Amino acid sequence: MSDTTDNRPEGNDNSHNTESAAHGAIPTSPQQSDSSTPTASAPHEGAATSTPRADVPPMPTRSPAAAAAAWPAPVAGTNVPQQGAAQPAHPGYASAPSGATSPTGHAFGPAATSAHPTLTLPDSASSTKPRKKSATPRIAALLVAAALVGGGAGLGGTYAGLSLWGGSNASSVAGPSTVTVNNPQDVNATAAVASKVVPSVVTISATGTNSGGTGSGVVLSSDGYVLTNTHVVTLDGQTGNAKISVTTSDGKVYAATLVGTDPTYDLAVIKLDNASGLTPIEWADSSKLNVGDATVAVGAPLDLPNTVTTGIVSALNRSIQVASSAAPSDGSDEQQSEPGQESPFRFDFGQGQQSQTASETIKIAVIQTDAAINPGNSGGALVDDEGKLIGINVAIASAGGSSSGGQSGNIGVGFSIPSDIAKRISTEIIDNGAATHGLLGASVQDAASQQGATTTGAYVAEAVSGGAAQAAGLQKGDVITQFNGIPVTNSIDLTAQVRALAAGAKAEVTFLRNGQTKTAEVTLGSMPTN
């Protein structure tokens, strides 16, 4: 690697000779000469030479003043070698003066003192321009992390990292390339994130008796536990024993078995058969997100694996209601829709089609993002700018609703289950085969739809006898406006937040009663699993 300090005498800048520098060639044409530049003295055969110590710079043989006298700088503009001139011994530096055993100047020896005049470099060479703050170190760190964690799978990961860090050529990476980088020295943050995350995302194919579909999944462990959506592995509740095939980012195909599903939050865990050495995703804390934070979605939309899209967090604590044939039915914590109202939200089925006969719905709290999410992205990863998992992609919005029965593409409104919820549920499924959910024990409606309404919230139409709401002192007519500090604007918000917690969890409820704000601590019950 060349020394970046430029201490060439004025007028002898050979940095323009890029071809020689690039190939390490030294021009030696004897027909060139320059009357103003003496040739360097080469040691004769058999002459003794000394090897400089690595920790001590070589000393000049004479003072800079004597060197300047013996080696005057040429007139400005005459830096083109003339016929007969000897060329520099190193393409990055001008030739040393006659008699010198090593180059002179501060870069290779002690700095000249006031007793010895120094050669003045041009302003362009001596002035130091302020550097702009660069994201390269962070990007390089992500690339190196990707190479270490992902075993180099992806963008030929190690090479890209070494290029940014200034290393030598890396060894080739086996397996197909999953993230293409044509110029490793000029990658942006998204490329770095993709190289880290892609090895942790898989493509899932589920096949039933009469139908099939594709989706995505996120690797949880090196031995093959994978998190995805219930609707991906059950074909939206059409089958409980679909044949599941999983393809990793490097092209390996595994059969997989179903560990457990959680239809309430549309999550499921599968286990790859005889898998080892996979790259688990790194979890992030979704409660720390801000609106406007960068997001990257990775999955297999339309059965196109290793697809990467970018965007931002468009909204947090958004609650949506999605029709689901696999959804469990329970008689409490219900929200009542207005007549003729149709939810615009739907699962993003890949090469499949959502059932139009679903009679139940699920209410889930989600992260809204404008990163492109299309059919087949379900179960894939939504990550932050460090490549850490912030959500599991689950649904998209359709501008025309779902009554037409056709697939809708990305319109910039996609939804992901927050990582904090996904982590709890997936852990419970792996440990126990199923996850639990909180139950408030109340029937709720949109407060804004009530006669004489003055605020939004979840109106308590009934507090079930012996339920958690009644035990906490809630009663009919109360309007719940916050749940654990999260604003509640309607009944879907409340149900989604209650379901996000495990059975037995404690929560603080803020509500209005006769115009007065009150709070109560609720110990949630357990939602039935049937």
Side-chain angles (χ1 to χ4, degrees), residues 244-507:
I244 302 172
S245 176
V246 174
T247 305
T248 58
S249 62
D250 58 357
K252 295 179 181 178
V253 180
Y254 296 87
T257 55
L258 184 63
V259 177
T261 63
D262 182 66
T264 300
Y265 248 84
D266 196 52
L267 291 170
V269 175
I270 60 177
K271 176 68 166 61
L272 277 56
D273 298 342
N274 302 317
S276 64
L278 301 182
T279 305
I281 198 78
E282 185 177 357
W283 294 92
D285 184 351
S286 57
S287 69
K288 304 297 185 183
L289 290 173
N290 296 316
V291 171
D293 284 352
T295 61
V296 178
V298 182
L302 306 176
D303 201 22
L304 299 171
N306 308 327
T307 295
V308 179
T309 56
T310 65
I312 61 168
V313 173
S314 301
L316 293 167
N317 303 315
R318 183 77 77 198
S319 300
I320 62 173
Q321 177 177 255
V322 187
S324 172
S325 298
S329 176
D330 71 278
S332 56
D333 293 6
E334 290 183 347
Q335 68 73 223
Q336 300 176 5
S337 300
E338 294 296 317
Q341 185 178 12
E342 183 182 18
S343 173
F345 312 119
R346 57 186 301 162
F347 295 139
D348 50 320
F349 280 83
Q351 291 189 342
Q353 190 163 317
Q354 186 165 0
S355 172
Q356 300 303 309
T357 61
S359 58
E360 299 294 336
T361 61
I362 60 173
K363 297 90 178 175
I364 54 178
V366 293
I367 299 167
Q368 181 180 328
T369 181
D370 65 346
I373 296 177
N374 285 287
N377 269 121
S378 274
L382 186 72
V383 300
D384 61 15
D385 58 359
E386 295 181 352
K388 297 179 180 179
L389 185 70
I390 59 175
I392 298 294
N393 299 324
V394 63
I396 55 180
S398 171
S402 60
S403 60
S404 62
Q407 290 290 346
S408 63
N410 171 62
I411 59 172
V413 183
F415 305 100
S416 299
I417 300 167
S419 59
D420 290 357
I421 301 174
K423 188 175 184 179
R424 176 189 76 81
I425 292 175
S426 62
T427 300
E428 290 188 22
I429 291 176
I430 293 172
D431 292 344
N432 307 316
T436 65
H437 295 276
L439 185 69
L440 183 60
S443 293
V444 293
Q445 301 172 359
D446 293 347
S449 66
Q450 303 303 308
Q451 185 175 3
T454 59
T455 186
T456 59
Y459 174 82
V460 179
E462 178 187 3
V464 177
S465 178
Q470 186 185 66
L474 291 170
Q475 55 188 248
K476 180 179 180 179
D478 291 342
V479 176
I480 298 174
T481 57
Q482 288 187 20
F483 185 84
N484 270 349
I486 297 174
V488 173
T489 61
N490 53 38
S491 57
I492 297 178
D493 282 346
L494 179 62
T495 301
Q497 292 299 329
V498 170
R499 296 288 188 266
L501 299 181
K506 297 183 182 297

Side-chain angles (χ1 to χ4, degrees), residues 2-15 64 67 71 73 90-97 102-112 118-122 124-128:
S2 63
D3 193 330
T4 56
T5 305
D6 190 350
N7 285 279
R8 292 181 291 272
E10 182 179 4
N12 284 272
D13 183 1
N14 290 286
S15 61
W71 192 27
H90 187 285
Y93 294 91
S95 300
S102 62
T104 61
H106 181 61
F108 290 91
T118 59
L119 297 176
T120 303
L121 295 176
S124 60
S126 61
S127 61
T128 302

Side-chain angles (χ1 to χ4, degrees), residues 62-135:
R62 52 186 165 171
S63 70
W71 192 27
V75 180
T78 62
N79 56 340
V80 179
Q82 301 297 318
Q83 185 176 7
Q87 296 304 305
H90 187 285
Y93 294 91
S95 300
S98 176
T101 59
S102 62
T104 61
H106 181 61
F108 290 91
T113 65
S114 58
H116 302 287
T118 59
L119 297 176
T120 303
L121 295 176
D123 291 341
S124 60
S126 61
S127 61
T128 302
K129 297 182 180 179
R131 295 183 177 181
K132 294 183 179 179
K133 186 176 181 181
S134 173

Side-chain angles (χ1 to χ4, degrees), residues 232-249:
V232 170
V233 294
T234 66
L235 301 174
D236 193 27
Q238 295 182 37
T239 179
N241 58 352
K243 180 181 178 181
I244 302 172
S245 176
V246 174
T247 305
T248 58
S249 62

